[in-house]
Every structure is written in C-alpha cells, then in structure tokens.
Amino acid sequence: MKKHILTLLFLIAVLGAGAQHKKYKQGIKVPCPVCYASDKIDKTRIPAPREFLLKSGGGAKSDIIVEYKGFSDTAKAAFAYAVEIWESIIESEIPIHMDARWESLNQNVLGSCGPETYYANFKDAPVENKYYAVSLAEKIAKEELNGKSRYDMVARFNKNIDWYFGTDLNTPIDKYDFVSVVLHEIGHGLGFTGFFFVDEDVGGYGFYQMGDATSYDFLVQNNLGKQLINPSFYDNLSASLKLVLERSLVANSPVAMKKNNRNKPRLYAPSDFDDGSSVYHLNDLTYDGTTNALMTHAVARGEAIHDPGPLSRGILDDIGWKNLFIHFEPTKDKEQLQSVDFNVSLESDYGIDSSALYIIYSTDNFQTHSDSLILMQAAESGFLSASLNPDSSTSEITYYVQAADTMNRIRTSPSTVPEKYHRVKFGPDTEGPVISHEAIPFFLKMEEPLTITVDATDNLGIDTVYITYSINGIEQEAFGLTRITYGKYSGTFNVDIENLSDGDKIEYTIFASDSSAAKNSVRLPVGEDKFSFTIEEIYEPVSSYTNNFDNSSSDFILTDFAIYAPKGFENGALHSPHPYLSPNVDNKDLEFWTFLKRPIIVQDSGTISYDEVVLVEPGEFESKYGDDDFWDFVIVEASKNMGESWKPLTDGYDSGSQLVWSQNYNANIVDQVSKTLGKSEWYYNREINLLESGNFAVGDTLLIRFRLYSDPYASGWGWAIDNLRIQQPVAAKEIGRLADIKIFPNPFNSTVHISGSLPEFIADIRIDVFDVFGKKVFSKIQNEVYGACNETVHLDQLRSGLYLMHISANGKLLQSKKLIKN
C-alpha cells in the first residue's frame, strides 16, 4: 500500500469490464505491522508479567488457539510460552484463532502480524462507526463474528533468522529472542494497529472507504493534542496529514497516562513514513531498554522482553480490551405528555466515577439550551435512575447519557454525540413495529429444541410478537415469543421433535403489534408469503459414497445448493447459486454451502474425488489461500463433531486453479460481476486425500461440506460438482497395469479405439480429451463395465493438432496419453 494507493482507488472506479486482469473494489489493503531486526546489541532483560509468573491472576483469562504451519517443536514450545503470557493478560470468552506461518521473509524482517479482519457497529461496540480488530470485536460482542472456520489473526515469522528459542531471558548477543517477537506480533494481532497510510504527497486513513479508522487510530494525536482523524484539524488525503504523520505523535490513552505520570505515550513516527512501522509502535528512542520496549518497532540482538509493558497494556485497554459500557434502553415515545424515567446500568473493568453520571438533555435539540439530571442509585439494585417532568409546551426531548470511570475515560450513549442523540416524542402514535428475521434455513433433528428468534422494535413499545405455522400444510396452534433483551424476542415451536421426519416442511409467519391505543401491527413476510424450512436428519455412517447427481437426492442439505442440469449441462450436478451473490456492503461476506448427510468413516488412504467447474472471483497474481488478496474461493471441509466445527480437507481454491476457468471468468465482466456461464466442457477432476490436511485420522466419522465463500465485492457464475466419489471401493481385483489399456491409432484421423482387459466389474469408465490449453473437448462415461473395455471414440469434430486423453476407472486415472490428429 505504500505506493500508488490513490492510483489503485482510481483504477477501481474506472477500469473497463473487458480488462484481462481486473481490479475490483476490495477496499484499501491494510498492511500488517512489521517487526524489524536491529543490528544493535542490547542486553535488556524484562521478565514476564508478575501475574503470569505467580499465576496470581487465576491462570488463563483467554484461549489463543494457534495453527502452526512449518514450525519445529522447539519453535512451537517458545511460541506457546508467549501465547500463555498473553492469555494471562487478555480477557475474552471467545477463543482467539491464530494462523502462524514459518516462511522466508525479507532479510531484516523478523515477523509480521495483523487482524484477519475488522468489524464496526457490532453488539456493544463502544464507539459507532469505528473498526475493531476481529478478536477484540468478538471479546466485546461475546460472540463469534467471522466464524469458527476463519482465523482472527495471521502471523508470519522469518525462518532464516538466527533465533533463540529459550524462555529464560538468556538470549545470546548473536541471536534474536523468539518469545519477544511472538509477543510483539500477537500484540498487533490484538489490535495494536490501524488504517493510516502515506501515498506520495498526501496522508490518509481508510479501510473499505476513506475515513474508516480503528479504535487505535481514534487515540492518535500530535504533540499538541490534536486528534489526527478529526477533520476540523486535518483533512483526510491531505498534505497536512502527511506532514503530521511524519512528526511527533502520541496516544491519548487515559489508562496508559495513569501509569505514566499523566504523560501520553510517544509513538514511532519517523520523518519518512514507514508502512507497517509508523504510528503502530512505541517510539524506540524513548522506550528502548525500558519495561515498555516490547512494542517498539525493532528488536536488537540479545534483547529479551517478555512483558508487553504498562504503556502497551494501557493502550490495549483503551482500544477496547477493558471497557466502560453504558447499558441503556432508550426511553419510548409517549402518547400523552408525562414524566420521563431514565434507567441506566453501567459495566466497567475499572471503577465508576460516581460524581460524573448524568442525563444531559434539551427541549430545542441543543440549539440554544441544555440541562442535566444527576443519575442516582435506583431502588432496583444495579440501576441508576433519573426522572424529568416536561412542561406543557414540550413536544420532544433530545438527550444523551454520560458516564466516566476511575481512569478518566468518558463514555456517552449514543457514542457519537453530538452527531447523534436519543429522542422521546409526545403525541398520538400511528407507526407500526419494525421487525426483522433471518429465516430458518433448515432444522437438524439432532438439534433441540426448535427455536425461533425475531428482532422487533417500536417507537412506543412492543405489545405482542407471535408465530403462526403449519407442518406439511396442516395448521398448528400459534405461539407467542418472549422478550429476551432489548429488541430481541425468542420462542419454541410446539412440536414433538421425535415425530418429525426427514423432508417434513414447516411454514411460518411472524406478527407483531405495538402498545399504542391503535395497536398498530405488522406481518412478516409482507403480503401472503410465508417463511419455510425442511426437517433434515443425519443418516447412519457409511464407509463409501457415490453420486452422479442425475436424479434428485435427499442425501444433501440443499438450502443453498441444488441438484439439476442448467443450460450448458446435459446431466444433473450439484450446483451453487448461479450466479452467486456478493453483499456489495463493506466488511460483509456471504457463504453458500451444502453438506452430505451420510457421515463417512475414514479409511486408510481414503479419498474424495469429483468433477467440477469453478467460476468464482480469482485472487491477485501469486496470491494463495489465506492471503488478504485471495478473494472468493471454494473449499471442501469436514467435521468430526457433527457440524459443531469444520476444518479443511485441503486448502481453498478459486478460478485461478485452472487456466480455462480463469480465462473464461475474466472474459465477460460487467460492473465487477463475471457474466460467463459455466459449461460441462470445462469439468476437471479433483481428488483429495481425506488425511492430507492432518486434521483427521483413520477411523474418524466425518460430515463432508462443500462451501463457496463470497467476499464483499465482485462475483461470478459459481461452482458445479459432479460424479462425487468418496472412498469408492475398487473391484476385488486390482485394476492392473497401465499397459493393459491400448489406445490406437496414433496419429488418428477421426476415431480412436480403446481396448484392454479389466477386473471383473468396474462401476464406470470415464474418457476425457483435452486440448493444449487444458480445455476439455470431449467426455464420455461408460457405466458397469465387465471384464474388458472396448470403445470407439469419434473425434472428427476436432481440429488438427495435439491432444491429451485421460482414461479413468472408478475415479482413478488409468491411462494418460498424448494424441495427434492429422
């Protein structure tokens, strides 16, 4: 991102649809912070935090799960030590998943790490419209946001460095301390990073669009206390912002200041902006050799820093790892002028400043007047309250809640005051409730009970939310939903799960009414439509499975996928949506998936094979699965805990894995969408060893899932899967030597003959012919072949030239031969 980011943004907007190498709107690429190797020697020794060494904090406060790729056992042990230190500091109910890679990096780079993604405006987000590193967002929201199959941070470590893997602080002066660097990189992954950049003569900040900033960026000021993301001080994409990014910077971190004699921590801001280092490190000259040295931008030989230090920990606290939450349900409108009651609860990781708790309000939208009410301890334990008696001329009150903690951190509700306030209006109500609901896609019988959740709000208040439904067309007794939290209602279908069968269909409708005198009501879906879903069962495990998808099948969950033969395909196959969608919303993605309801018992050398056409958005040149610029992809995954979690059988892939797919995907792009339709001529066979990923073992019982991932922008036709074979047993006799199959004549004019002896029975023989570009130009399947193969293939439609013929039996390649047509 260091160069040409503005040019990139311009290209995103103007590139024509016919370009072979498209640029798509993916947002501004955020580089991972980098830790550099210093040539200096430093014998500083900072031990691990006291609470870690003494376990005085009660042990691990979080769970950081690392997936190691390429590390030695010695490196893993040192890595695990660093992880345990962070687990003793960082508190989170949600596991933090980390992808750690051992690979070659630039010569003076020790490592790099960053969040896998960022989220804004999630549940309980402290500040609206600010982005939080995914692990931090999940901690605050107390829920998985990017799914269990995605990492929360991705780190790389240079395998070519002379590392010291000990944990005893005795790092030799010719080596770099691995524990220190791992601690440093995890700090970045936890959110010690953001979106500032410099391009040519301007400075800026952005993620999906210009102006996006992280909770860390929110703290950054110049040495005069001017906030860098405040447009009243610095315009985004301006020379003035570049200038200040290359001057003295500080972090306005109240917690760090409490630990630093009220001084704001100095940040690393060299005179030439350095992507991956500037802003997102502490200043080396100020903190090298101190307890705050860990998050400086470079590590010296012999240096061993095993404590993040009070300033880095304070900054992490202030970006969201320790919070002051205002839990407040905005007061409802009133149909008559009456007293307004405010009830607030506070949750703080530090103490509450009881002298700074207010309702600040205005009767003229803060144009000329404001006043305040002191929040006092309510009779109901845990709540603070205040009441306001408006005068007879009042038609509306505008207000916000303000609170502070003992670290001098002030929070408001709404968090974006003065841009946004709460309001309460007085007068007759004609507005109906607003309800939304994510339709139930299906119900697995192994799940109990059958519940439904609905979001419902109203300016005056909700009176009733209830469900009407039918099973296989037979109407059932309606049931009401219970309010579980502000705006959210839940209930359980009154059904006996044991009496439901695979394929049963349930249709339902949602109704809500408000508490006004008119009892305004709404229905979802609108009109006469209904939501519907089917009951699904997991069948008994099997050791093998085949399906050519020429007929409909109940073996798969078909909420997203379908079995049929679209235009361009003679036979049925398992198809994703065509075209599949992208959300076209910043920081949103979509997943389309299906899984086989027949669990597979893994056998030694077990494989899964299938023919496929993949027309999904390809990643950037030389990108690979897991990289930030590896855009859409398809992946085959498995679960050994009945779908509770999924792991890949092999890495995800996209249209770039076959030339014919990528060429055709890029051949017809309009407004970021590939209009190319799939064809059966583009089928390629893929075979995956069920054990190759290392995630599964012989004897495991697996559910198999096919998943298409769609990122925020750009999409295409999708994915087709045919001739699925999982651990398909070969006939009792071995298939035999390849020489047993003869292909002649060669060269040929119009026909090719294939003959040879085979075992007693083969389920199918497949003949495929490809041109020199890898495009499939002929395909034929012969089912239930006994004893011998005798086939004449007519290829008179082909032009003169070189071709490649594949002959497969039961999904296994028997013969591959080059052919020349005269």
Side-chain angles (χ1 to χ4, degrees):
M1 189 178 72
K2 190 171 184 179
K3 300 296 182 184
H4 311 305
I5 192 164
L6 299 184
T7 305
L8 171 62
L9 293 174
F10 177 74
L11 287 173
I12 286 170
V14 304
L15 272 176
Q20 284 295 310
H21 297 288
K22 284 283 294 176
K23 295 284 185 185
Y24 306 110
K25 181 181 177 184
Q26 297 294 343
I28 302 161
K29 184 170 174 57
V30 179
C32 288
V34 175
C35 180
Y36 289 101
S38 168
D39 287 334
K40 297 179 181 178
I41 295 173
D42 186 343
K43 295 296 290 182
T44 301
R45 302 282 185 263
I46 305 296
R50 180 181 178 85
E51 64 262 45
F52 168 75
L53 294 174
L54 300 179
K55 299 295 186 287
S56 59
K61 301 173 184 176
S62 58
D63 184 15
I64 301 176
I65 301 170
V66 183
E67 184 168 330
Y68 298 99
K69 297 179 179 177
F71 291 79
S72 67
D73 289 342
T74 304
K76 287 180 183 178
F79 202 118
Y81 183 81
V83 164
E84 290 173 3
I85 292 174
W86 274 117
E87 287 176 334
S88 73
I89 297 171
I90 292 298
E91 297 184 37
S92 179
E93 297 177 12
I94 309 301
I96 300 169
H97 295 273
M98 182 178 187
D99 178 26
R101 307 177 187 181
W102 186 251
E103 55 191 42
S104 295
L105 302 176
N106 290 339
Q107 185 175 2
N108 67 329
V109 172
L110 297 174
S112 69
C113 183
E116 192 266 356
T117 191
Y118 303 81
Y119 287 92
N121 302 322
F122 48 88
K123 178 179 176 291
D124 288 334
V127 181
E128 291 182 39
N129 305 320
K130 292 294 177 284
Y131 282 87
Y132 294 77
V134 56
S135 60
L136 173 53
E138 291 181 340
K139 174 260 193 327
I140 296 170
K142 297 181 180 179
E143 63 177 318
E144 286 279 357
L145 295 177
N146 67 341
K148 295 181 180 179
S149 61
R150 286 170 61 181
Y151 300 108
D152 298 313
M153 62 181 79
V154 178
R156 295 175 171 87
F157 296 88
N158 197 339
K159 66 180 183 181
N160 302 315
I161 294 294
D162 289 329
W163 293 109
Y164 177 67
F165 295 111
T167 62
D168 56 5
L169 302 173
N170 294 322
T171 309
I173 59 174
D174 61 342
K175 294 184 183 296
Y176 293 94
D177 189 67
F178 189 62
V179 170
S180 300
V181 176
V182 174
L183 282 170
H184 178 106
E185 298 307 338
I186 292 177
H188 289 307
L190 293 170
F192 208 99
T193 184
F195 301 158
F196 282 113
F197 64 85
V198 165
D199 179 65
E200 302 294 342
D201 297 325
V202 299
Y205 48 94
F207 181 35
Y208 278 105
Q209 59 185 4
M210 290 300 174
D212 290 343
T214 66
S215 57
Y216 182 108
D217 297 331
F218 191 74
L219 305 180
V220 181
Q221 298 179 343
N222 72 355
N223 58 359
L224 298 177
K226 294 181 178 180
Q227 185 186 39
L228 267 60
I229 64 170
N230 188 334
S232 64
F233 296 136
Y234 305 102
D235 289 332
N236 201 355
L237 291 180
S238 67
S240 62
L241 185 54
K242 174 183 184 295
L243 186 65
V244 73
L245 284 167
E246 297 174 338
R247 294 293 187 271
S248 296
L249 298 178
V250 297
N252 183 27
S253 167
V255 178
M257 292 165 64
K258 276 267 191 177
K259 302 175 181 180
N260 196 36
N261 296 319
R262 304 306 305 158
N263 295 313
K264 298 175 182 178
R266 289 282 306 277
L267 301 179
Y268 181 66
S271 58
D272 184 11
F273 188 89
D274 187 358
D275 275 334
S277 291
S278 290
V279 186
Y280 305 117
H281 290 91
L282 296 181
N283 188 48
D284 298 66
L285 293 178
T286 309
Y287 302 114
D288 273 351
T290 75
T291 56
N292 292 302
L294 182 74
M295 294 309 293
T296 57
H297 99 287
V299 175
R301 292 189 179 94
E303 184 179 26
I305 313 295
H306 291 187
D307 187 335
L311 298 189
S312 295
R313 292 176 65 169
I315 290 173
L316 287 172
D317 285 355
D318 280 325
I319 68 174
W321 282 101
K322 291 196 174 180
N323 292 289
L324 166 60
F325 291 119
I326 299 176
H327 298 300
F328 174 67
E329 183 175 329
T331 304
K332 298 297 184 182
D333 292 346
K334 312 290 184 182
E335 290 195 282
Q336 296 179 346
L337 190 64
Q338 63 187 86
S339 174
V340 180
D341 296 325
F342 306 95
N343 293 290
V344 179
S345 68
L346 301 176
E347 179 185 350
S348 177
D349 291 310
Y350 294 105
I352 301 295
D353 182 354
S354 59
S355 67
L357 308 175
Y358 301 102
I359 299 292
I360 301 174
Y361 70 94
S362 171
T363 56
D364 66 355
N365 200 30
F366 290 99
Q367 295 301 307
T368 63
H369 172 77
S370 67
D371 207 339
S372 63
L373 301 169
I374 298 175
L375 285 164
M376 305 293 290
Q377 187 68 43
E380 184 178 353
S381 177
F383 280 90
L384 301 165
S385 67
S387 294
L388 173 65
N389 292 305
D391 61 42
S392 59
S393 63
T394 304
S395 61
E396 178 180 281
I397 295 171
T398 308
Y399 67 96
Y400 63 94
V401 185
Q402 179 175 298
D405 66 13
T406 56
M407 289 293 177
N408 300 322
R409 301 190 298 180
I410 297 175
R411 296 290 185 265
T412 62
S413 173
S415 65
T416 52
V417 169
E419 290 82 8
K420 182 179 178 181
Y421 297 105
H422 296 306
R423 300 177 189 279
V424 55
K425 298 179 181 180
F426 302 94
D429 178 52
T430 59
E431 299 178 29
V434 176
I435 57 177
S436 62
H437 169 65
E438 186 173 340
I440 300 172
F442 61 89
F443 178 73
L444 283 176
K445 280 192 63 175
M446 60 188 291
E447 300 173 347
E448 289 192 39
L450 176 46
T451 60
I452 181 171
T453 301
V454 175
D455 293 320
T457 58
D458 184 75
N459 65 306
L460 204 68
I462 294 290
D463 180 69
T464 305
V465 181
Y466 67 96
I467 307 295
T468 63
Y469 72 105
S470 64
I471 301 177
N472 296 329
I474 301 174
E475 291 297 327
Q476 308 292 313
E477 182 180 354
F479 63 95
L481 302 186
T482 301
R483 182 181 185 270
I484 56 175
T485 186
Y486 173 66
K488 193 172 293 292
Y489 294 77
S490 182
T492 303
F493 285 84
N494 301 314
V495 296
D496 184 348
I497 302 297
E498 292 302 318
N499 289 334
L500 296 176
S501 300
D502 188 71
D504 283 349
K505 183 178 182 180
I506 294 182
E507 296 180 301
Y508 65 98
T509 308
I510 305 168
F511 294 88
S513 60
D514 67 15
S515 55
S516 68
K519 291 291 187 241
N520 303 303
S521 63
V522 294
R523 176 190 195 274
L524 195 70
V526 297
E528 299 299 319
D529 291 338
K530 296 181 179 181
F531 295 112
S532 67
F533 61 93
T534 57
I535 304 300
E536 307 282 359
E537 292 189 63
I538 301 297
Y539 303 139
E540 290 298 315
V542 295
S543 59
S544 64
Y545 180 82
T546 64
N547 198 329
N548 61 14
F549 301 107
D550 287 340
N551 299 298
S552 61
S553 173
S554 61
D555 290 347
F556 287 83
I557 299 287
L558 295 176
T559 303
D560 296 333
F561 280 60
I563 298 172
Y564 68 111
K567 183 179 178 180
F569 291 78
E570 295 181 2
N571 302 313
L574 185 62
H575 290 270
S576 74
H578 298 320
Y580 70 91
L581 300 178
S582 285
N584 291 314
V585 175
D586 295 344
N587 205 38
K588 300 292 184 182
D589 51 29
L590 294 173
E591 293 184 342
F592 308 93
W593 53 264
T594 181
F595 72 76
L596 178 62
K597 291 156 56 177
R598 299 187 183 277
I600 303 296
I601 303 171
V602 179
Q603 300 176 351
D604 190 21
S605 301
T607 62
I608 173 174
S609 70
Y610 49 92
D611 299 329
E612 63 179 339
V613 177
V614 179
L615 295 180
V616 304
E617 178 195 14
E620 295 301 314
F621 179 66
E622 293 188 342
S623 67
K624 58 184 181 298
Y625 175 67
D627 290 347
D628 294 337
D629 53 358
F630 193 83
W631 308 131
D632 297 351
F633 60 84
V634 299
I635 190 168
V636 184
E637 299 165 314
S639 172
K640 57 184 178 182
N641 53 14
M642 287 296 144
E644 182 178 338
S645 62
W646 298 86
K647 292 184 177 296
L649 288 170
T650 191
D651 284 350
Y653 52 96
D654 59 22
S655 292
S657 63
Q658 292 293 342
L659 182 62
V660 65
W661 296 341
S662 59
Q663 285 182 335
N664 282 285
Y665 180 96
N666 287 315
N668 185 18
I669 295 177
V670 180
D671 295 331
Q672 301 192 62
V673 176
S674 172
K675 301 295 185 178
T676 301
L677 302 181
K679 297 181 180 179
S680 60
E681 290 84 356
W682 300 337
Y683 268 128
Y684 273 81
N685 181 261
R686 183 174 298 274
E687 181 171 292
I688 302 168
N689 188 305
L690 296 177
L691 304 176
E692 72 179 53
S693 67
N695 294 322
F696 307 104
V698 173
D700 284 346
T701 299
L702 305 182
L703 290 178
I704 306 293
R705 180 170 78 167
F706 299 87
R707 179 168 64 95
L708 189 161
Y709 170 81
S710 175
D711 73 359
Y713 297 98
S715 58
W717 179 79
W719 195 11
I721 300 164
D722 200 5
N723 299 313
L724 174 65
R725 290 170 180 79
I726 305 176
Q727 296 185 151
Q728 168 66 30
V730 180
K733 299 180 181 179
E734 292 296 326
I735 289 179
R737 293 167 51 85
L738 298 183
D740 292 339
I741 302 294
K742 297 179 181 179
I743 304 172
F744 61 94
N746 190 18
F748 68 96
N749 293 318
S750 60
T751 59
V752 174
H753 302 285
I754 301 166
S755 66
S757 60
L758 294 169
E760 205 169 88
F761 170 76
I762 297 295
D764 60 62
I765 293 288
R766 184 183 182 100
I767 302 167
D768 295 310
V769 179
F770 305 87
D771 64 16
V772 292
F773 300 105
K775 179 180 178 182
K776 187 182 293 186
V777 295
F778 176 87
S779 183
K780 184 175 183 180
I781 297 177
Q782 189 176 17
N783 294 316
E784 298 184 355
V785 181
Y786 292 85
C789 174
N790 291 290
E791 188 71 29
T792 298
V793 178
H794 297 276
L795 301 174
D796 48 302
Q797 78 278 14
L798 301 182
R799 297 179 180 179
S800 298
L802 180 65
Y803 295 89
L804 180 67
M805 176 177 285
H806 284 178
I807 302 175
S808 304
N810 292 346
K812 298 283 187 179
L813 183 66
L814 287 182
Q815 181 80 292
S816 179
K817 187 166 186 175
K818 294 179 181 178
L819 300 175
I820 299 174
K821 183 176 181 184
N822 293 322

